Amino acid sequence: MQRSDVTRNDGAWVGLSLDVQDRHQPELCIFTAGPRLLVSQSSKPVLLAAVEEPLQGVDFWRTDEYRSFVPPLRADVGRALSRSPQRWAHRFAHYLIDSPGSPLHEGRWLLSCESPLLRWRHAATSHAEYWSSMLVEGHPNGYIDWFFHSTSFEVLPLRPMPGPGDSRVKAYRKQVREGTLPPVLLWWVSGLDCHLILDGHARLAAAIAESIEPPLLQLHRTMPRDDLATRIDDAVGFYEYELERFAELRAVHGPTVPDGSATAGPQLVRLLHDANTAEQPTWAWPLPGGEGQWHRIAREATLGKDWLRT
């Protein structure tokens, strides 16, 4: 795997680009069968989901099979890496590529400290209230409401969230107050239109209990390298076209017409940044056996319970 830091034009760190090769199907994998999805880890069902027609939401059943591939994060490590999302990203990248149970497969990914979740809280809403509202409720079954939470991309825990009295939450609350809380690792899954918590359920619970903004690292697919090269060529071509257009206008109307760089330059920077960082749809594999197999897995995982909304 090749890693490279992604920065903005002003040098601000955005995230870590991961170029993964020779990893065709990950151990944490999404399968599809028509409008039904299965999230599986090491061949065990983690999450069963059924998209409701007409695309208003998703019914889900969460099993207790998910296991984080990130080992327990010691307090001294939290202090050593505190307030450095860049160093945390490199550490989590190591776990993502080397540990079993990771969702990484071949292609380009971004592990970023910039998540849309961090931009939507209204100033009058406390962090505790906001982050509690972004959590999808329900265990073992629940509903991701696309209609009510349109484009707000909720957070779906892969196991029940611990309460404020949990021993791990209590320990992390101390780190919250010290400013050394490790980030919560999220995975953006387009087929669910929400973020899955890969690691940090107790850390997020601690941040909510202390009503602070949790540090986040968001993982999502980005544009494949071949497509990225094409997008870069298109952006540069557009920039050159704009400069030529302004040059022609200057030739006709004189030097009072600007040369175009003041508008085309910043637009080129935005196009290049978006091409390098924008979210791409999450890969999913056809479920062998199709919907029939999905229903068999669902009956076994739910002990035959009728959990789908009607």
Side-chain angles (χ1 to χ4, degrees):
M1 179 183 69
Q2 297 180 349
R3 309 183 199 179
S4 57
D5 289 307
V6 178
T7 60
R8 294 195 179 278
N9 190 47
D10 60 3
W13 186 82
V14 172
L16 188 62
S17 176
L18 310 176
D19 197 340
V20 182
Q21 299 175 355
D22 299 324
R23 192 167 181 169
H24 303 298
Q25 185 169 313
E27 291 198 28
L28 183 59
C29 187
I30 299 177
F31 294 98
T32 59
R36 309 190 187 278
L37 287 83
L38 168 67
V39 181
S40 173
Q41 185 182 44
S42 303
S43 302
K44 296 180 180 179
V46 168
L47 187 78
L48 291 147
V51 177
E52 180 189 53
E53 297 294 343
L55 302 180
Q56 292 187 330
V58 182
D59 290 292
F60 70 85
W61 181 283
R62 181 175 55 199
T63 73
D64 290 319
E65 296 293 341
Y66 178 70
R67 298 294 181 268
S68 174
F69 50 86
V70 177
L73 301 174
R74 294 160 51 97
D76 58 343
V77 174
R79 286 190 292 271
L81 303 182
S82 63
R83 297 182 176 88
S84 178
Q86 184 175 4
R87 295 176 67 190
W88 274 118
H90 280 274
R91 192 175 189 91
F92 276 111
H94 168 74
Y95 300 136
L96 281 162
I97 197 62
D98 291 339
S99 303
S102 162
L104 284 193
H105 55 73
E106 60 188 2
R108 292 181 64 251
W109 299 74
L110 182 68
L111 188 56
S112 176
C113 63
E114 295 188 348
S115 169
L117 294 168
L118 299 172
R119 300 194 295 266
W120 293 329
R121 182 182 67 88
H122 191 276
T125 304
S126 70
H127 287 293
E129 182 181 357
Y130 171 72
W131 287 99
S132 295
S133 71
M134 296 307 293
L135 287 174
V136 180
E137 298 180 347
H139 184 75
N141 60 309
Y143 184 69
I144 304 171
D145 195 328
W146 288 350
F147 181 80
F148 183 74
H149 285 274
S150 177
T151 72
S152 63
F153 312 143
E154 296 169 282
V155 176
L156 177 61
L158 284 178
R159 56 172 177 259
M161 291 291 291
D166 182 272
S167 59
R168 296 165 301 161
V169 175
K170 289 181 179 179
Y172 281 129
R173 291 182 71 170
K174 181 180 179 182
Q175 290 185 258
V176 170
R177 294 189 290 269
E178 293 174 347
T180 61
L181 185 70
V184 178
L185 180 61
L186 303 177
W187 176 26
W188 165 248
V189 176
S190 61
L192 297 172
D193 202 25
C194 73
H195 303 78
L196 301 183
I197 302 179
L198 293 178
D199 188 71
H201 294 74
R203 298 195 294 278
L204 180 56
I208 292 173
E210 293 291 326
S211 194
I212 65 105
E213 183 173 87
L216 300 179
L217 282 174
Q218 176 178 308
L219 179 72
H220 62 257
R221 285 189 63 244
T222 55
M223 193 171 295
R225 190 153 299 281
D226 291 345
D227 294 343
L228 177 62
T230 300
R231 185 70 64 88
I232 290 174
D233 288 342
D234 290 343
V236 172
F238 173 79
Y239 173 76
E240 293 174 343
Y241 167 80
E242 283 295 283
L243 294 188
E244 290 176 1
R245 185 169 69 88
F246 274 91
E248 293 173 359
L249 291 173
R250 285 170 64 88
V252 174
H253 301 287
T256 57
V257 176
D259 63 7
S261 60
T263 55
Q267 187 167 0
L268 173 63
V269 171
R270 287 194 298 271
L271 290 172
L272 294 178
H273 179 77
D274 290 345
N276 198 34
T277 62
E279 297 166 349
Q280 296 295 299
T282 309
W283 273 8
W285 282 258
L287 179 66
E291 289 195 46
Q293 178 63 10
W294 186 93
H295 283 288
R296 284 189 288 272
I297 294 172
R299 284 194 298 270
E300 182 177 342
T302 65
L303 302 178
K305 293 182 180 179
D306 185 12
W307 55 279
L308 294 175
R309 288 158 55 106
T310 57

